[in-house]
Amino acid sequence: MSPVITIKDVAREAGCGIATVSRVLNKSGAASAETRERVLDAATRLGFSFNELGRSLQSQRTRTIGCLVPSLVNPVFAEAVQDLQKEALGAGFQVLLACSNYDPALEADALRMLLAKRVDGIVLTLSSSAGNPALEHLRGQGLPLCMLYNSPVEGVPSAYVDNRRAAAQVAAEFARLGHRRVAFLALRFGASDRSHERYEGFRDGCLAAGLEAPELIEVDEAIRFEDVKLAQRLKGPGALTGVFASNDYLALSVIGALHDLGLSVPGDVSVVGFDGIDMGLAIRPRLATVVTDAREMGRSAAQTLIGMIDAQGAATDQPQNSQKSPQKTPSPELPGMAFSFRRAESLGPARGGGTDDGQAATSPPS
Amino acid sequence: MSPVITIKDVAREAGCGIATVSRVLNKSGAASAETRERVLDAATRLGFSFNELGRSLQSQRTRTIGCLVPSLVNPVFAEAVQDLQKEALGAGFQVLLACSNYDPALEADALRMLLAKRVDGIVLTLSSSAGNPALEHLRGQGLPLCMLYNSPVEGVPSAYVDNRRAAAQVAAEFARLGHRRVAFLALRFGASDRSHERYEGFRDGCLAAGLEAPELIEVDEAIRFEDVKLAQRLKGPGALTGVFASNDYLALSVIGALHDLGLSVPGDVSVVGFDGIDMGLAIRPRLATVVTDAREMGRSAAQTLIGMIDAQGAATDQPQNSQKSPQKTPSPELPGMAFSFRRAESLGPARGGGTDDGQAATSPPS
DNA sequence: GTGAAAGCGCTAACAG
DNA sequence: CTGTTAGCGCTTTCAC
C-alpha cells in the first residue's frame, strides 16, 4: 500500500544527497549538526527503514546466519535453535532456519538455498556428517560453518556431546543395578550418526561391564503401543530388564507403551533416555537420562560461528601483510560439551538383581 | 574461498550476454538449442547458482515468508512452524523465522527486521493482537498477513481455534463428572490473549453449568513443585477437584507436581490441558485435553498467506480494468479450526461426585 | 561537509 | 534469437 520509502525519498525530503542520508543514518562519516537533524527528521517523518536487500547486495554481508536442523518437534532442537537465535540476535545477526526432516535430499536443498540467500555462515545438524557431499560443498565455499550435535569433522568446529562416552556410561549404570539383558531402541537408526554413536558406545559399555551385547531394536516414528517385536522382548522368559532409548522423546513413549502392556517402570523394566528434555522431569516416574544442555549447545554454536564470521571479516578488512595468506582463519576447536547422567525413578534395579545406589554422576567437559 | 560465481562469469564462459544466461537458466524467453547448451554447460561447470539478493532486489519479490511465534519450546508452535515451512517450501517459498519469547518489544523488533528483509508476507502469533501497534504498522504496509493461533482481527485472516468455545466445553466436562470447585491455571496470563480467552470461556462455561466461577491461579515459567499457593488449594478442606491448565505443557507439569504432593490424578484431582500435544498420550495417566491440530494450523496459515501473496502478484500483473482499484485483495475469511475434547484418564469423576461417561466429543469446524 | 557516480547481481525492456 | 542498457536500494570512493 504505502509506496515503500527508499533512501532517495529521504534525501529529497531532507534536501540533500543520498550519500549524506546513508552517512547520517549509519553513523558512518561526519555531517553538520544541522544536516543530521534534517535527515533524521525526514527519516522518521517518512517512517523510513533500510531495505536490507540493497544493503546486503552492496556490502556483501547479510548479517544473517543460516541454521539447519532435522526437526523442530524434538525439543532438543527447538531449544537449541531458540537459544542459538537469542544469541545471534544479541550479536546483531538474524537467523534463517530450515528443517531437513532427516532427509538428506532436503538437507542439500536447504543448504543450497541458504547459500543463495548469501548467509554469512551456517550452523547445521546433519544426519550423517562424515564425507557428506553437501558439507564438502559448503567447505569449498569457504563459508564459516559450525556443526550442532554432530561429532566434529576434520576442520569444522561443532557443539556436541561425546555420544559414545555418554552411552557407555548408561551401560555402566545398567550394570551397576544388576541388569544383564538390555536393549537399545533406535528411532532412525539408518539416518542418524548420533543414534549410531550412541548404540556403539552403549554396546561397548555393555561388553566392558560384562553384559551381553544389547539388542538393537529399530522403531519408526512414534512407537506403536502394539509393537509386537518390542512387546515380545519385554515379557516372558529371558525378557529384557532394561531399555536405552536413543532419545528422551522415544523413551517417554516407551514408558507409556510399557504401561499399556501391563508392565511397571522400573519394577519390570527400566528405561533410560538421552537428551534431558524438561518433560522427563515432569512425568512420573521421572526419566533417567543423559542430560545435555541443548540451550548451551545452541548458544555455543552461535558464538563460535559468529566468531568465525567476525574473524573472516577482520581478515578481509586489514590485508595487513597478507601476501597470499591462505585466508583460512583456523576453525576454533570446540571441546565436547558437558553432560551428566540423571539417576531417576525410571531406572531401577533389575528384577532379581541390584547393587548399591547413589545420586548423580557428572562428567567434566571432556 | 572459491571466488563466488556470478551470472557474468557464466556469460563469459558461455560466450554470450548475461541476459541470455538469465533467460536460459530461468526458462524465460527463448534461446537456440546450441546457446542453451553452452550456457547450461558453463553454469554447471562453474557451479553457478543465482544470488538471491540481486534477484530479489530486482524483482521486488523474495519468495520468502516471515514467521513470528512466541516460542519454539512449546511443541504446539514447533509443530505448526514445521508444517508451515513444509507447506511453504512446497510452494516455492522460504521461511524466515523469528521468536518473540512472549515479549512485545521483541515482537516489534522481529517484525521490523522481517520487513527490512522484504519478506513477501508474514504469518504471526502475537501476545496480544487487538490494537497491537506493530500489527497496525504491518497492515499499513499492505503486506499480506495471516495470524496463527490468535483470534482473527478485523481484516486479517487467522488460523485459530475458538478458545472460548473450547474452554467452555472443558467446563462442561468437569460439570458432567460432578466437579464443583475447579481452577484455571495460567502461564503468562498477562501476556497472552489466548490464555485470557481460555479463562473467560472456561469461567462462562462453569457459570453456565452451575459451578462456581473458577479460581484463576497464575504461575510463571515451569510450575515449581513446591508452589505453595497451588498446594494449599489442592489439599485440605474445600480443596479443588479439578484443574484446567492453559496449555498441555503446563498440565503435564502439574500432574508431576501433584504426584509429588502425594495426590493422585485423577483420584484426588483431575487435570485437563489444552493443545493436544503428543506427549499427552505418551504418559500415564493420559492427559485429557482440547485437541487442536497444530500441523494443520501451520499448513492452513501458509496456504492462506501464499494465496494472498499470489493474488496480490496477479493483481499487479494484470491491472486489467483497474482504474484506481483499491488494490486491496480481500483477505480470505478463514473459519475457526476444528478441535475436539479428548476424554482421557487424567480427568475423572470428582471426589464424591460423578455422573455418566462417554468417549469423545468432537466439534465441527465451527 | 556533501553530492555525483560507480557498481553489488540480477531482470526486463528494447533494439538489432 | 540475442546483446545492450537501465535500473532495483544501497554503500562507498572521489572530487568539489
Side-chain angles (χ1 to χ4, degrees):
Chain A
M1 224 77 309
S2 39
V4 184
I5 311 300
T6 77
I7 196 173
K8 230 181 255 177
D9 302 312
V10 179
R12 184 160 15 76
E13 184 79 4
C16 68
I18 62 171
T20 304
V21 176
S22 175
R23 279 191 216 102
V24 171
L25 263 28
N26 287 311
K27 301 189 210 308
S28 60
S32 70
E34 202 237 347
T35 313
R36 182 190 347 281
E37 201 53 46
R38 290 215 317 285
V39 170
L40 257 21
D41 189 62
T44 45
R45 196 163 52 241
L46 265 40
F48 169 78
S49 73
F50 285 112
N51 177 332
E52 288 295 335
L53 293 174
R55 222 220 268 269
S56 297
L57 181 57
Q58 167 62 239
S59 63
Q60 301 287 8
R61 289 154 60 273
T62 54
R63 298 293 291 180
T64 298
I65 69 183
C67 177
L68 175 69
V69 293
S71 159
L72 250 24
V73 172
N74 184 334
V76 160
F77 291 115
E79 289 184 17
V81 169
Q82 180 129 328
D83 271 40
L84 171 288
Q85 185 178 37
K86 201 175 298 176
E87 188 73 26
L89 285 180
F93 283 82
Q94 247 68 66
V95 175
L96 190 49
L97 180 73
C99 299
S100 67
N101 207 34
Y102 299 92
D103 177 345
L106 284 185
E107 277 177 3
D109 280 354
L111 258 13
R112 236 188 306 285
M113 157 259 158
L114 255 18
L115 275 183
K117 286 234 192 273
R118 290 300 188 272
V119 293
D120 293 340
I122 300 181
V123 168
L124 71 175
T125 300
L126 296 172
S127 313
S128 172
S129 52
N132 184 310
L135 214 205
E136 291 313 314
H137 181 226
L138 287 183
R139 303 183 60 181
Q141 303 285 304
L143 190 73
L145 249 40
C146 182
M147 311 261 279
L148 181 68
Y149 275 103
N150 282 120
S151 295
V153 185
E154 22 134 17
V156 183
S158 179
Y160 72 106
V161 294
D162 186 331
N163 285 311
R164 288 195 176 76
R165 213 156 56 79
Q169 195 171 335
V170 173
E173 294 286 336
F174 273 127
R176 192 177 61 84
L177 290 164
H179 290 266
R180 309 297 304 168
R181 303 185 59 93
V182 296
F184 180 78
L185 219 59
L187 193 45
R188 275 180 210 77
F189 196 67
S192 169
D193 272 8
R194 284 152 286 139
S195 200
H196 258 96
E197 292 172 0
R198 289 171 193 175
Y199 170 67
E200 292 177 9
F202 186 51
R203 183 199 53 202
D204 294 350
C206 285
L207 295 177
L211 308 203
E212 300 176 18
E215 282 184 45
L216 173 61
I217 303 178
E218 296 187 47
V219 297
D220 33 38
E221 267 324 293
I223 193 171
R224 286 147 318 174
F225 302 146
E226 340 74 46
D227 194 304
V228 183
K229 190 148 47 132
L230 182 57
Q232 268 179 342
R233 299 300 303 117
L234 291 167
K235 292 185 131 169
L240 300 167
T241 62
V243 172
F244 176 29
S246 62
N247 68 46
D248 280 358
Y249 192 86
L250 186 56
L252 258 16
S253 301
V254 171
I255 292 180
L258 290 172
H259 215 100
D260 290 344
L261 289 172
L263 295 170
S264 94
V265 176
D268 295 310
V269 184
S270 285
V271 176
V272 175
F274 199 117
D275 285 339
I277 65 178
D278 288 349
M279 200 57 74
L281 282 175
I283 66 159
R284 297 298 176 278
R286 289 190 190 80
L287 182 64
T289 190
V290 173
V291 180
T292 65
D293 191 339
R295 315 188 93 96
E296 172 61 21
M297 221 85 139
R299 252 175 277 139
S300 171
Q303 288 167 355
T304 304
L305 186 73
I306 292 173
M308 293 171 77
I309 293 174
D310 287 346
Q312 198 187 53
T316 318
D317 286 351
Q318 326 159 357
Q320 25 182 68
N321 63 337
S322 70
Q323 309 270 52
K324 253 157 201 145
S325 68
Q327 174 81 346
K328 192 87 173 182
T329 312
S331 314
E333 273 298 319
L334 228 44
M337 308 278 296
F339 59 84
S340 63
F341 187 82
R342 180 169 74 215
R343 291 177 184 162
E345 300 96 38
S346 75
L347 171 61
R351 287 189 302 278
T355 337
D356 68 316
D357 191 48
Q359 270 313 303
T362 302
S363 114
S366 181
Chain B
M1 221 80 304
S2 38
V4 184
I5 311 300
T6 78
I7 196 173
K8 230 180 253 179
D9 301 313
V10 179
R12 183 160 16 77
E13 183 80 4
C16 69
I18 61 171
T20 304
V21 176
S22 176
R23 280 191 215 102
V24 172
L25 265 27
N26 287 311
K27 299 189 211 311
S28 60
S32 70
E34 200 236 348
T35 314
R36 183 192 342 285
E37 201 53 46
R38 290 216 317 284
V39 170
L40 257 21
D41 188 61
T44 45
R45 198 164 48 240
L46 265 38
F48 169 77
S49 74
F50 284 112
N51 178 333
E52 289 294 336
L53 292 174
R55 221 220 267 268
S56 296
L57 181 58
Q58 164 63 237
S59 62
Q60 301 287 16
R61 287 155 61 275
T62 54
R63 298 294 291 179
T64 298
I65 69 182
C67 177
L68 175 69
V69 293
S71 160
L72 250 24
V73 172
N74 184 334
V76 161
F77 291 115
E79 287 184 17
V81 169
Q82 179 131 327
D83 271 40
L84 171 291
Q85 185 178 38
K86 202 175 297 176
E87 188 73 25
L89 285 180
F93 283 82
Q94 247 67 65
V95 175
L96 190 50
L97 181 73
C99 300
S100 68
N101 208 35
Y102 299 92
D103 176 345
L106 283 185
E107 276 178 4
D109 280 353
L111 257 14
R112 235 189 306 286
M113 157 257 156
L114 255 20
L115 275 184
K117 287 234 192 271
R118 291 297 188 274
V119 294
D120 292 341
I122 300 181
V123 167
L124 70 175
T125 300
L126 295 172
S127 313
S128 171
S129 52
N132 185 312
L135 214 206
E136 290 315 314
H137 182 225
L138 287 183
R139 304 183 61 181
Q141 302 286 303
L143 190 73
L145 250 37
C146 181
M147 311 261 279
L148 182 69
Y149 274 104
N150 282 119
S151 294
V153 186
E154 21 134 16
V156 182
S158 179
Y160 71 107
V161 294
D162 186 330
N163 286 311
R164 288 195 177 76
R165 212 156 57 79
Q169 195 170 335
V170 173
E173 293 287 337
F174 273 125
R176 192 179 62 84
L177 290 164
H179 290 267
R180 307 299 304 168
R181 304 184 58 92
V182 297
F184 181 77
L185 218 58
L187 193 44
R188 275 180 212 77
F189 196 66
S192 170
D193 271 9
R194 285 151 286 137
S195 201
H196 258 97
E197 293 171 359
R198 288 171 193 175
Y199 169 67
E200 292 177 9
F202 186 50
R203 182 199 54 202
D204 294 351
C206 284
L207 295 177
L211 309 202
E212 301 177 18
E215 283 184 44
L216 172 60
I217 303 179
E218 297 188 46
V219 298
D220 33 39
E221 267 324 292
I223 191 171
R224 286 146 319 171
F225 301 146
E226 341 72 45
D227 195 303
V228 182
K229 189 149 47 137
L230 182 57
Q232 268 178 342
R233 301 297 306 116
L234 291 168
K235 292 186 131 168
L240 300 167
T241 63
V243 172
F244 176 30
S246 62
N247 69 45
D248 280 359
Y249 192 87
L250 186 56
L252 259 14
S253 300
V254 171
I255 292 181
L258 290 172
H259 214 99
D260 290 344
L261 290 173
L263 295 171
S264 95
V265 176
D268 295 308
V269 184
S270 286
V271 176
V272 175
F274 199 117
D275 285 339
I277 65 177
D278 288 348
M279 200 57 74
L281 282 175
I283 65 157
R284 297 298 175 281
R286 288 188 191 81
L287 182 65
T289 190
V290 173
V291 180
T292 66
D293 191 340
R295 314 188 94 97
E296 173 60 22
M297 220 84 138
R299 253 176 277 137
S300 172
Q303 288 166 355
T304 303
L305 186 73
I306 291 173
M308 293 171 77
I309 293 174
D310 287 347
Q312 197 187 52
T316 317
D317 287 353
Q318 325 158 358
Q320 23 183 70
N321 63 337
S322 70
Q323 309 269 53
K324 256 160 200 143
S325 67
Q327 173 82 344
K328 193 88 176 185
T329 312
S331 313
E333 274 298 318
L334 227 44
M337 309 279 297
F339 58 84
S340 63
F341 187 83
R342 181 169 73 215
R343 293 179 182 161
E345 301 97 37
S346 75
L347 171 61
R351 286 189 303 278
T355 337
D356 70 314
D357 191 48
Q359 272 310 302
T362 301
S363 116
S366 180

Short mmCIF file of all heavy atoms in Angstrom, two decimals, chain B residues 68-70 77 107 123-130 132 135 146-153 156-163 191-195 197-198 297 334-337:
data_model
loop_
_atom_site.label_atom_id
_atom_site.label_comp_id
_atom_site.label_asym_id
_atom_site.label_seq_id
_atom_site.Cartn_x
_atom_site.Cartn_y
_atom_site.Cartn_z
N LEU B 68 6.56 -15.39 12.74
CA LEU B 68 6.88 -14.97 14.10
C LEU B 68 6.03 -15.74 15.10
O LEU B 68 4.80 -15.69 15.03
CB LEU B 68 6.61 -13.47 14.27
CG LEU B 68 6.79 -12.93 15.68
CD1 LEU B 68 8.25 -12.96 16.08
CD2 LEU B 68 6.23 -11.51 15.78
N VAL B 69 6.67 -16.45 15.99
CA VAL B 69 5.94 -17.17 17.03
C VAL B 69 6.57 -16.83 18.38
O VAL B 69 7.71 -16.37 18.43
CB VAL B 69 5.98 -18.69 16.81
CG1 VAL B 69 5.20 -19.08 15.58
CG2 VAL B 69 7.41 -19.20 16.73
N PRO B 70 5.83 -17.06 19.46
CA PRO B 70 6.35 -16.68 20.77
C PRO B 70 7.52 -17.55 21.20
O PRO B 70 8.45 -17.10 21.85
CB PRO B 70 5.17 -16.89 21.71
CG PRO B 70 3.98 -17.02 20.85
CD PRO B 70 4.47 -17.58 19.55
N PHE B 77 3.85 -24.76 18.82
CA PHE B 77 4.42 -23.86 17.85
C PHE B 77 5.47 -24.55 16.99
O PHE B 77 5.57 -24.31 15.79
CB PHE B 77 5.02 -22.63 18.53
CG PHE B 77 3.97 -21.74 19.13
CD1 PHE B 77 3.90 -21.56 20.50
CD2 PHE B 77 3.03 -21.12 18.33
CE1 PHE B 77 2.91 -20.76 21.05
CE2 PHE B 77 2.04 -20.32 18.87
CZ PHE B 77 1.99 -20.13 20.24
N GLU B 107 8.76 -8.68 19.67
CA GLU B 107 7.81 -8.88 18.57
C GLU B 107 7.98 -7.76 17.56
O GLU B 107 8.10 -7.99 16.35
CB GLU B 107 6.37 -8.85 19.10
CG GLU B 107 5.88 -10.16 19.66
CD GLU B 107 4.46 -10.04 20.22
OE1 GLU B 107 3.84 -8.96 20.09
OE2 GLU B 107 3.97 -11.02 20.80
N VAL B 123 3.36 -14.67 8.64
CA VAL B 123 2.45 -15.43 9.49
C VAL B 123 2.91 -15.14 10.92
O VAL B 123 4.10 -15.25 11.21
CB VAL B 123 2.56 -16.94 9.23
CG1 VAL B 123 1.85 -17.72 10.32
CG2 VAL B 123 1.97 -17.28 7.86
N LEU B 124 2.00 -14.75 11.77
CA LEU B 124 2.44 -14.36 13.10
C LEU B 124 1.48 -14.69 14.23
O LEU B 124 0.27 -14.72 14.04
CB LEU B 124 2.77 -12.88 13.14
CG LEU B 124 1.64 -11.86 13.04
CD1 LEU B 124 2.19 -10.45 13.22
CD2 LEU B 124 0.95 -11.96 11.70
N THR B 125 2.06 -14.97 15.38
CA THR B 125 1.30 -15.15 16.60
C THR B 125 1.73 -14.03 17.53
O THR B 125 2.91 -13.90 17.82
CB THR B 125 1.63 -16.49 17.27
OG1 THR B 125 1.32 -17.55 16.37
CG2 THR B 125 0.84 -16.66 18.55
N LEU B 126 0.78 -13.23 17.95
CA LEU B 126 1.11 -12.11 18.84
C LEU B 126 0.61 -12.38 20.25
O LEU B 126 -0.38 -13.08 20.44
CB LEU B 126 0.46 -10.83 18.31
CG LEU B 126 0.98 -10.33 16.95
CD1 LEU B 126 0.12 -9.17 16.46
CD2 LEU B 126 2.44 -9.92 17.06
N SER B 127 1.29 -11.82 21.21
CA SER B 127 0.82 -11.95 22.59
C SER B 127 -0.59 -11.38 22.64
O SER B 127 -1.51 -11.98 23.16
CB SER B 127 1.69 -11.14 23.55
OG SER B 127 3.05 -11.36 23.30
N SER B 128 -0.68 -10.20 22.08
CA SER B 128 -1.97 -9.53 22.09
C SER B 128 -2.18 -8.87 20.73
O SER B 128 -1.37 -8.05 20.30
CB SER B 128 -1.96 -8.47 23.19
OG SER B 128 -3.10 -7.67 23.09
N SER B 129 -3.24 -9.26 20.07
CA SER B 129 -3.41 -8.77 18.70
C SER B 129 -4.29 -7.52 18.60
O SER B 129 -4.00 -6.61 17.84
CB SER B 129 -4.00 -9.87 17.83
OG SER B 129 -5.15 -10.41 18.43
N ALA B 130 -5.33 -7.48 19.40
CA ALA B 130 -6.26 -6.35 19.29
C ALA B 130 -5.54 -5.02 19.50
O ALA B 130 -4.94 -4.77 20.54
CB ALA B 130 -7.39 -6.49 20.31
N ASN B 132 -2.85 -3.94 18.47
CA ASN B 132 -1.39 -4.00 18.55
C ASN B 132 -0.77 -3.05 17.53
O ASN B 132 -1.01 -3.16 16.34
CB ASN B 132 -0.95 -5.45 18.28
CG ASN B 132 0.53 -5.64 18.46
OD1 ASN B 132 1.33 -4.87 17.94
ND2 ASN B 132 0.89 -6.66 19.20
N LEU B 135 1.10 -4.56 14.66
CA LEU B 135 0.17 -5.15 13.69
C LEU B 135 -0.38 -4.06 12.77
O LEU B 135 -0.45 -4.23 11.56
CB LEU B 135 -0.99 -5.81 14.44
CG LEU B 135 -1.62 -7.08 13.87
CD1 LEU B 135 -3.05 -7.21 14.33
CD2 LEU B 135 -1.52 -7.18 12.37
N CYS B 146 -1.14 -13.24 7.84
CA CYS B 146 -2.06 -14.25 8.35
C CYS B 146 -1.67 -14.54 9.78
O CYS B 146 -0.51 -14.80 10.07
CB CYS B 146 -2.01 -15.52 7.51
SG CYS B 146 -3.15 -16.79 8.08
N MET B 147 -2.62 -14.48 10.67
CA MET B 147 -2.32 -14.74 12.06
C MET B 147 -2.37 -16.24 12.33
O MET B 147 -3.01 -17.00 11.59
CB MET B 147 -3.32 -14.03 12.95
CG MET B 147 -3.51 -12.59 12.57
SD MET B 147 -2.58 -11.50 13.61
CE MET B 147 -3.70 -11.46 14.96
N LEU B 148 -1.72 -16.61 13.40
CA LEU B 148 -1.67 -18.02 13.77
C LEU B 148 -2.01 -18.13 15.24
O LEU B 148 -1.34 -17.52 16.08
CB LEU B 148 -0.24 -18.54 13.51
CG LEU B 148 0.03 -20.01 13.79
CD1 LEU B 148 -0.70 -20.89 12.80
CD2 LEU B 148 1.53 -20.28 13.74
N TYR B 149 -3.05 -18.87 15.55
CA TYR B 149 -3.47 -19.08 16.93
C TYR B 149 -4.15 -17.87 17.57
O TYR B 149 -4.79 -18.00 18.60
CB TYR B 149 -2.31 -19.54 17.83
CG TYR B 149 -2.12 -21.03 17.78
CD1 TYR B 149 -1.09 -21.60 17.05
CD2 TYR B 149 -3.01 -21.87 18.42
CE1 TYR B 149 -0.93 -22.96 16.97
CE2 TYR B 149 -2.87 -23.24 18.36
CZ TYR B 149 -1.82 -23.78 17.63
OH TYR B 149 -1.68 -25.14 17.56
N ASN B 150 -3.97 -16.70 16.96
CA ASN B 150 -4.66 -15.54 17.52
C ASN B 150 -6.07 -15.48 16.96
O ASN B 150 -6.30 -15.84 15.81
CB ASN B 150 -3.95 -14.24 17.10
CG ASN B 150 -2.70 -13.99 17.92
OD1 ASN B 150 -1.60 -13.93 17.38
ND2 ASN B 150 -2.87 -13.86 19.21
N SER B 151 -6.99 -15.00 17.75
CA SER B 151 -8.33 -14.80 17.23
C SER B 151 -8.25 -13.75 16.14
O SER B 151 -7.48 -12.79 16.25
CB SER B 151 -9.25 -14.33 18.35
OG SER B 151 -9.40 -15.35 19.30
N PRO B 152 -9.01 -13.93 15.08
CA PRO B 152 -8.90 -13.02 13.94
C PRO B 152 -9.27 -11.59 14.31
O PRO B 152 -10.14 -11.35 15.14
CB PRO B 152 -9.88 -13.61 12.93
CG PRO B 152 -10.79 -14.46 13.73
CD PRO B 152 -10.02 -14.95 14.90
N VAL B 153 -8.56 -10.68 13.71
CA VAL B 153 -8.85 -9.26 13.91
C VAL B 153 -9.44 -8.77 12.60
O VAL B 153 -9.16 -9.32 11.53
CB VAL B 153 -7.55 -8.49 14.20
CG1 VAL B 153 -7.86 -7.04 14.54
CG2 VAL B 153 -6.81 -9.16 15.33
N VAL B 156 -7.83 -9.26 9.05
CA VAL B 156 -6.65 -10.14 8.97
C VAL B 156 -7.09 -11.58 9.20
O VAL B 156 -7.64 -11.89 10.26
CB VAL B 156 -5.59 -9.76 10.02
CG1 VAL B 156 -4.37 -10.64 9.88
CG2 VAL B 156 -5.22 -8.30 9.89
N PRO B 157 -6.85 -12.44 8.24
CA PRO B 157 -7.26 -13.83 8.40
C PRO B 157 -6.42 -14.49 9.50
O PRO B 157 -5.34 -14.00 9.83
CB PRO B 157 -6.95 -14.46 7.05
CG PRO B 157 -5.86 -13.62 6.49
CD PRO B 157 -6.13 -12.23 6.97
N SER B 158 -6.93 -15.58 10.03
CA SER B 158 -6.18 -16.26 11.08
C SER B 158 -6.48 -17.75 11.11
O SER B 158 -7.62 -18.16 10.90
CB SER B 158 -6.52 -15.65 12.44
OG SER B 158 -5.82 -16.31 13.46
N ALA B 159 -5.46 -18.52 11.34
CA ALA B 159 -5.65 -19.95 11.57
C ALA B 159 -5.71 -20.10 13.08
O ALA B 159 -4.71 -19.92 13.75
CB ALA B 159 -4.50 -20.75 10.98
N TYR B 160 -6.87 -20.39 13.58
CA TYR B 160 -7.04 -20.37 15.04
C TYR B 160 -8.13 -21.34 15.48
O TYR B 160 -8.85 -21.90 14.65
CB TYR B 160 -7.46 -18.96 15.47
CG TYR B 160 -8.87 -18.63 15.06
CD1 TYR B 160 -9.90 -18.57 15.99
CD2 TYR B 160 -9.17 -18.42 13.71
CE1 TYR B 160 -11.21 -18.31 15.60
CE2 TYR B 160 -10.47 -18.16 13.31
CZ TYR B 160 -11.48 -18.11 14.26
OH TYR B 160 -12.77 -17.87 13.85
N VAL B 161 -8.22 -21.52 16.77
CA VAL B 161 -9.37 -22.25 17.30
C VAL B 161 -10.12 -21.28 18.19
O VAL B 161 -9.54 -20.35 18.74
CB VAL B 161 -8.96 -23.48 18.14
CG1 VAL B 161 -8.27 -24.52 17.28
CG2 VAL B 161 -8.09 -23.08 19.31
N ASP B 162 -11.37 -21.56 18.34
CA ASP B 162 -12.20 -20.70 19.18
C ASP B 162 -11.92 -21.06 20.63
O ASP B 162 -12.50 -21.99 21.19
CB ASP B 162 -13.67 -20.95 18.84
CG ASP B 162 -14.58 -19.98 19.57
OD1 ASP B 162 -14.21 -19.55 20.69
OD2 ASP B 162 -15.66 -19.67 19.04
N ASN B 163 -11.02 -20.33 21.23
CA ASN B 163 -10.61 -20.64 22.60
C ASN B 163 -11.76 -20.62 23.60
O ASN B 163 -11.85 -21.49 24.47
CB ASN B 163 -9.56 -19.62 23.06
CG ASN B 163 -8.21 -19.86 22.42
OD1 ASN B 163 -7.71 -20.99 22.41
ND2 ASN B 163 -7.61 -18.82 21.87
N ALA B 191 0.24 -11.80 29.47
CA ALA B 191 0.87 -11.58 28.17
C ALA B 191 0.36 -12.50 27.08
O ALA B 191 1.06 -12.80 26.14
CB ALA B 191 2.38 -11.72 28.30
N SER B 192 -0.86 -12.95 27.24
CA SER B 192 -1.37 -13.85 26.22
C SER B 192 -2.87 -13.76 26.03
O SER B 192 -3.65 -14.13 26.89
CB SER B 192 -0.97 -15.29 26.57
OG SER B 192 -1.64 -16.20 25.73
N ASP B 193 -3.23 -13.27 24.90
CA ASP B 193 -4.63 -13.24 24.51
C ASP B 193 -5.28 -14.60 24.67
O ASP B 193 -6.38 -14.73 25.19
CB ASP B 193 -4.74 -12.88 23.02
CG ASP B 193 -4.82 -11.38 22.81
OD1 ASP B 193 -4.63 -10.66 23.79
OD2 ASP B 193 -5.07 -10.97 21.67
N ARG B 194 -4.54 -15.57 24.20
CA ARG B 194 -5.11 -16.92 24.19
C ARG B 194 -5.45 -17.39 25.59
O ARG B 194 -6.51 -17.94 25.85
CB ARG B 194 -4.15 -17.90 23.52
CG ARG B 194 -4.10 -17.78 22.03
CD ARG B 194 -2.75 -18.18 21.49
NE ARG B 194 -1.75 -17.15 21.76
CZ ARG B 194 -0.53 -17.36 22.17
NH1 ARG B 194 -0.11 -18.60 22.36
NH2 ARG B 194 0.30 -16.36 22.41
N SER B 195 -4.51 -17.18 26.50
CA SER B 195 -4.73 -17.58 27.87
C SER B 195 -5.99 -16.88 28.41
O SER B 195 -6.84 -17.51 29.05
CB SER B 195 -3.51 -17.18 28.71
OG SER B 195 -3.44 -17.93 29.88
N GLU B 197 -8.57 -15.68 26.74
CA GLU B 197 -9.79 -16.19 26.13
C GLU B 197 -10.17 -17.54 26.72
O GLU B 197 -11.34 -17.83 26.94
CB GLU B 197 -9.59 -16.32 24.61
CG GLU B 197 -9.44 -14.98 23.92
CD GLU B 197 -9.04 -15.13 22.46
OE1 GLU B 197 -8.87 -16.29 22.01
OE2 GLU B 197 -8.89 -14.12 21.78
N ARG B 198 -9.17 -18.34 26.96
CA ARG B 198 -9.46 -19.66 27.52
C ARG B 198 -10.05 -19.52 28.92
O ARG B 198 -10.96 -20.24 29.31
CB ARG B 198 -8.19 -20.52 27.53
CG ARG B 198 -7.79 -20.94 26.12
CD ARG B 198 -6.45 -21.62 26.02
NE ARG B 198 -6.05 -21.69 24.60
CZ ARG B 198 -4.88 -22.13 24.15
NH1 ARG B 198 -3.98 -22.59 25.01
NH2 ARG B 198 -4.63 -22.15 22.86
N MET B 297 -2.82 -26.26 11.44
CA MET B 297 -2.84 -24.82 11.69
C MET B 297 -1.73 -24.15 10.89
O MET B 297 -1.94 -23.13 10.23
CB MET B 297 -2.57 -24.61 13.17
CG MET B 297 -3.38 -23.57 13.78
SD MET B 297 -4.96 -24.22 14.27
CE MET B 297 -5.08 -23.38 15.83
N LEU B 334 -10.76 -17.14 7.01
CA LEU B 334 -10.51 -18.49 7.46
C LEU B 334 -11.50 -18.84 8.57
O LEU B 334 -11.69 -18.07 9.50
CB LEU B 334 -9.08 -18.55 8.03
CG LEU B 334 -8.21 -19.69 7.59
CD1 LEU B 334 -8.34 -19.90 6.09
CD2 LEU B 334 -6.79 -19.38 7.95
N PRO B 335 -12.14 -19.99 8.47
CA PRO B 335 -13.04 -20.38 9.55
C PRO B 335 -12.21 -20.88 10.72
O PRO B 335 -11.06 -21.27 10.54
CB PRO B 335 -13.84 -21.53 8.93
CG PRO B 335 -12.89 -22.14 7.96
CD PRO B 335 -12.04 -21.00 7.42
N GLY B 336 -12.76 -20.83 11.91
CA GLY B 336 -12.03 -21.37 13.06
C GLY B 336 -11.76 -22.84 12.82
O GLY B 336 -12.56 -23.54 12.22
N MET B 337 -10.62 -23.31 13.25
CA MET B 337 -10.26 -24.69 13.01
C MET B 337 -10.98 -25.62 13.98
O MET B 337 -11.35 -25.23 15.08
CB MET B 337 -8.75 -24.87 13.18
CG MET B 337 -7.92 -23.89 12.41
SD MET B 337 -7.73 -24.36 10.69
CE MET B 337 -6.84 -25.88 10.90
#
